[in-house]
Amino acid sequence: MGLSRLNRVIAVIALIIALIYGWKSLFEARRSPCYSVDVKYFGSETPSSSDAEDFSIKPFKIPFERSQVDDMINRVSKTRFYEPQIMVDNRNVNKSSYGFNRQTAESIRDYLINTFDWKKTVQELNTFDHYKTNIAGLDIHFVRLTQNPHTNEKKEAILFLHGWPGSFLEYLDVARQFNSSTTGTYDIIIPSLPGYGYSDAPVRAGMSTPQIARIMQNLMQRLGHSSYVVCGGDWGSIIGTHMAQLYPGHVRGLLITLVPPTLTWKHYIQLGLGHFVNPSILLDFDEQEFLVERFNAKNYISFLWQEGGYFHLQSTGLILLDMHSMIHHLV
């Protein structure tokens, strides 16, 4: 009997400790986060302690190899398209209602094979100033557009970060617009993310968006900018957000096209419980407003179930080597 009573006492104490810990954990999520990122190396050769870090910035030209273009065109020309389009009311469905439009795919293939001038495009890209510099063991490629580069006038630095499937190409037009401005002087930096375009891909585990944020911060410092603005889309939005969180003293402004979710599991528990208890007990004012106006647990789960197939495919699917080669050639 004594032992049983002791067990009950221990169980009650354990329950009280669990409740206190759980309650404390829920409220810790409301504190201002402390952001940090470990310094990691992603190159193929492990540097020794005696090796000096290479801070050099080297000019780079995009290479043009006719054999690679011919190989890509040969692969594309062998594309096997699916069956003719579905008939609706005895007419071909020309829109993408039942998958990617075959006629559009055929026109793209014919354009790549017969019309697109690969050599001319490379020559046009090489009219920009391209560079490479080694950061965290990776050669990082970037384009730099600077107004009056030989003057000492202070310039507004802007870092443009692309996403997937994309490359530095998507920001060249807007960079031209900035650089032709007569109302300000700008230093435009457009890098290729690690593994994209002409930047090295990591050969070691651990690459993540915070790590890329650290690499981009090092790039801006290496170019002499301790203060700058970040513009990003898709993955660039997430990386830019990390940069603003990790280096608030350096990122003067952040413009993104995608607002990434930053909720932890603690936030989801708080928001879920907020539907059943007084939200003011668990949530700050802005979190209560978010709960009322935007977050509905049932709708959120329904959305993930009905619209989350893309994310599941990306996390579990395969990409063919030939497809990867074609994408690499296109970039």
Side-chain angles (χ1 to χ4, degrees):
M1 180 65 68
L3 183 61
S4 177
R5 183 178 301 170
L6 177 61
N7 288 340
R8 287 197 295 270
V9 171
I10 294 176
V12 170
I13 294 174
L15 179 60
I16 294 173
I17 293 175
L19 290 173
I20 294 174
Y21 177 79
W23 187 265
K24 183 173 178 291
S25 298
L26 287 174
F27 276 99
E28 279 183 348
R30 300 168 63 181
R31 297 179 181 176
S32 300
C34 180
Y35 296 100
S36 64
V37 59
D38 295 332
V39 176
K40 292 187 178 181
Y41 184 85
F42 299 99
S44 57
E45 298 181 2
T46 304
S48 63
S49 57
S50 60
D51 291 339
E53 187 174 354
D54 183 8
F55 293 101
S56 63
I57 299 174
K58 302 173 182 177
F60 171 75
K61 289 291 184 182
I62 296 176
F64 175 80
E65 297 184 22
R66 185 74 247 180
S67 60
Q68 286 190 351
V69 175
D70 291 340
D71 177 64
M72 188 277 299
I73 291 177
N74 180 57
R75 293 168 186 257
V76 173
S77 64
K78 295 178 180 179
T79 301
R80 292 179 295 175
F81 290 103
Y82 44 85
E83 292 300 314
Q85 293 180 339
I86 295 175
M87 300 289 290
V88 177
D89 296 332
N90 295 322
R91 292 182 301 176
N92 286 330
V93 178
N94 293 322
K95 297 181 179 179
S96 300
S97 303
Y98 296 90
F100 195 84
N101 184 275
R102 175 173 176 170
Q103 293 177 350
T104 302
E106 289 176 339
S107 66
I108 293 174
R109 181 191 63 175
D110 293 340
Y111 175 75
L112 291 176
I113 294 175
N114 302 313
T115 304
F116 190 79
D117 192 331
W118 296 92
K119 186 174 183 179
K120 180 182 177 181
T121 300
V122 171
Q123 290 173 343
E124 291 176 350
L125 289 176
N126 279 327
T127 61
F128 293 92
D129 293 328
H130 297 257
Y131 303 91
K132 281 192 175 185
T133 188
N134 193 277
I135 303 175
L138 304 176
D139 282 342
I140 301 299
H141 160 260
F142 64 95
V143 174
R144 187 176 192 181
L145 290 83
T146 305
Q147 293 174 320
N148 302 319
H150 301 295
T151 65
N152 294 324
E153 185 179 0
K154 183 175 177 60
K155 299 175 177 62
E156 184 73 46
I158 306 177
L159 175 68
F160 286 93
L161 300 174
H162 67 82
W164 183 96
S167 71
F168 68 95
L169 290 174
E170 58 195 66
Y171 287 120
L172 293 183
D173 287 340
V174 68
R176 288 191 188 98
Q177 294 294 323
F178 269 103
N179 233 33
S180 62
S181 171
T182 58
T183 59
T185 55
Y186 300 96
D187 191 6
I188 308 298
I189 312 299
I190 312 174
S192 296
L193 300 181
Y196 290 73
Y198 301 101
S199 288
D200 287 349
V203 296
R204 300 171 187 266
M207 181 60 77
S208 61
T209 48
Q211 287 294 332
I212 299 177
R214 182 179 68 86
I215 290 173
M216 293 301 135
Q217 160 67 4
N218 286 347
L219 172 64
M220 297 304 286
Q221 286 188 317
R222 191 166 297 184
L223 295 176
H225 295 299
S226 60
S227 177
Y228 51 88
V229 173
V230 180
C231 299
D234 194 73
W235 280 112
S237 297
I238 299 173
I239 296 165
T241 300
H242 284 309
M243 293 184 72
Q245 293 170 334
L246 290 166
Y247 312 107
H250 298 278
V251 178
R252 294 181 56 238
L254 176 66
L255 174 64
I256 56 178
T257 61
L258 169 70
V259 180
T262 56
L263 300 177
T264 66
W265 65 270
K266 295 178 183 179
H267 288 114
Y268 283 112
I269 292 176
Q270 286 177 311
L271 291 171
L273 290 176
H275 285 284
F276 305 101
V277 299
N278 190 335
S280 62
I281 298 176
L282 296 171
L283 307 175
D284 292 330
F285 178 78
D286 56 342
E287 294 172 330
Q288 295 176 45
E289 186 177 12
F290 174 80
L291 175 69
V292 173
E293 294 185 359
R294 298 184 57 187
F295 185 84
N296 182 288
K298 181 180 178 181
N299 292 342
Y300 186 74
I301 295 174
S302 177
F303 172 81
L304 292 178
W305 178 259
Q306 297 179 20
E307 306 293 341
Y310 171 81
F311 298 100
H312 185 71
L313 287 172
Q314 291 297 313
S315 61
T316 61
L318 298 174
I319 183 169
L320 299 178
L321 181 61
D322 286 353
M323 185 187 299
H324 182 273
S325 299
M326 186 181 76
I327 292 173
H328 177 75
H329 286 310
L330 292 176
V331 170

